[in-house]
């Protein structure tokens, strides 16, 4: 089965719609989301509705949990907390009901699914080989998918060797038939790896390979929506830089 993996949509309808259009044109049979449908961006209801219609699996990210009150907003940065508070006052009861049902990990598939990491499904940013080693030590699946850092990357480990890893560019392919893996598709709605295009991943679970994808979208439209909602201007500005 070929699955489209997305993560960290963050209320960016323009990016999510563009990625869904790209997925529709691909050979993917399902779409799975690793969490953070809301937060930062100005269209949380639209993004949750798109996930409701298109995601076969959807996890809860830390922003989803913050908006629904599961974790305190004092644990977020100022801009993230302001956006979460705005989101709480804006979303419909149907959006809140959908978010309330999500969990930050799912271990029932052929691959492990976590919003953040196998050690801490909610908060850990896995950005170094040392962190990857510690996660690989505890994960129960040979291949795991993670989000949260907004960086398209992967880590790999062979028996008896330390983990190695790197960021990944558009159309880069991974052969996953041996070793242990931690794979991050990057962020749909707020990339932080220097490439402002929306990021996602094609994963072939039967053939054990993956391809990183980037999709152009209307960045100025997404930024305008953030400004119109009177959210912090930095949340709009960063979209153009992929930071």
């Amino acid at each position: 089965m070929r699955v489209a993996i997305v993560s960290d949509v963050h209320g960016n309808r323009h990016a999510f719609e563009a990625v869904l259009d790209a997925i529709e044109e691909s050979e993917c049979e399902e779409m799975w989301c690793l969490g953070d449908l809301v937060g930062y961006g100005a269209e949380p209801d639209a993004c949750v509705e798109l996930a409701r219609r298109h995601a076969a699996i959807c996890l809860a990210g830390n922003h989803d949990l913050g908006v629904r009150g599961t974790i305190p907003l004092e644990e977020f940065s100022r801009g993230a907390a302001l956006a979460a508070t705005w989101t709480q006052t804006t979303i419909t009861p149907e959006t809140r009901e959908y978010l309330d049902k999500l969990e930050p990990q799912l271990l029932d598939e052929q691959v492990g699914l976590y919003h953040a990491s196998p050690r801490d499904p909610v908060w850990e940013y896995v950005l170094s080989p040392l962190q990857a080693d510690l996660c690989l030590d505890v994960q129960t699946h040979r291949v795991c998918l993670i989000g949260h850092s907004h960086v398209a990357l992967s880590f790999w480990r062979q028996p008896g060797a330390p983990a190695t890893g790197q960021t990944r560019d558009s159309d880069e392919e991974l052969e996953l038939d041996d070793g242990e893996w931690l794979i991050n598709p990057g962020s749909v709605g707020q990339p932080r790896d220097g490439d402002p295009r929306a990021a996602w991943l094609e994963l072939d679970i039967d053939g054990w390979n993956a391809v990183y994808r980037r999709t152009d979208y209307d960045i100025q439209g997404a930024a305008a929506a953030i400004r119109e909602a009177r959210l912090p201007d930095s949340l709009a500005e960063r979209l153009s830089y992929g930071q």
Side-chain angles (χ1 to χ4, degrees):
M1 182 171 67
R2 188 174 290 271
V3 183
I5 309 298
V6 305
S7 190
D8 299 282
V9 175
H10 284 299
N12 188 335
R13 174 185 59 82
H14 296 77
F16 202 11
E17 288 182 338
V19 167
L20 289 170
D21 287 344
I23 292 171
E24 181 68 24
E25 295 177 1
S26 75
E27 297 180 0
C28 294
E29 302 164 64
E30 290 187 356
M31 187 268 281
W32 298 353
C33 178
L34 304 180
D36 273 352
L37 290 171
V38 303
Y40 295 131
E43 298 186 75
D45 287 328
C47 291
V48 168
E49 179 57 27
L50 289 169
R52 190 201 311 272
R53 285 162 41 197
H54 296 284
I57 293 172
C58 190
L59 304 185
N62 57 303
H63 289 257
D64 304 321
L65 296 172
V67 165
R68 76 188 203 195
T70 304
I71 56 179
L73 296 184
E74 289 78 12
E75 298 185 25
F76 290 79
S77 68
R78 180 178 180 275
L82 287 171
T85 300
W86 175 88
T87 303
Q88 287 175 331
T89 65
T90 302
I91 57 174
T92 66
E94 292 77 16
T95 293
R96 173 59 188 267
E97 181 181 6
Y98 184 83
L99 295 178
D100 281 344
K101 296 176 181 178
L102 306 181
E103 298 295 335
Q105 66 181 20
L106 180 67
L107 306 180
D108 296 338
E109 300 296 327
Q110 290 175 265
V111 296
L113 304 175
Y114 303 89
H115 173 64
S117 87
R119 294 198 307 165
D120 182 347
V122 177
W123 282 114
E124 184 177 21
Y125 293 91
V126 184
L127 293 169
S128 73
L130 174 58
Q131 288 174 298
D133 260 324
L134 296 172
C135 290
L136 292 165
D137 286 342
V138 302
Q139 68 187 42
T140 56
H141 294 72
R142 186 178 67 83
V143 177
C144 288
L145 302 173
I146 58 174
H148 189 52
S149 72
H150 299 209
V151 176
L153 52 75
S154 65
F155 294 96
W156 175 59
R157 186 172 74 178
Q158 286 280 46
T164 60
Q166 64 189 77
T167 57
R168 298 292 181 174
D169 295 325
S170 181
D171 299 325
E172 235 182 299
E173 298 186 26
L174 304 178
E175 297 297 331
L176 308 173
D177 51 353
D178 67 346
E180 300 171 287
W181 290 84
L182 275 174
I183 303 169
N184 192 321
S187 170
V188 169
Q190 194 191 88
R192 295 178 186 168
D193 52 10
D195 186 339
R197 295 175 297 172
W200 59 287
L201 182 84
E202 289 189 43
L203 174 66
D204 185 345
I205 295 175
D206 298 320
W208 287 117
N209 59 69
V211 183
Y212 281 86
R213 301 297 190 195
R214 302 302 281 240
T215 298
D216 290 311
Y217 76 95
D218 182 5
I219 291 175
Q220 296 309 312
I226 289 172
R227 293 188 174 104
E228 185 176 350
R230 299 186 181 277
L231 290 165
D233 193 67
S234 60
L235 301 179
E237 285 290 326
R238 71 191 305 172
L239 296 179
S240 296
Y241 300 98
Q243 296 293 339

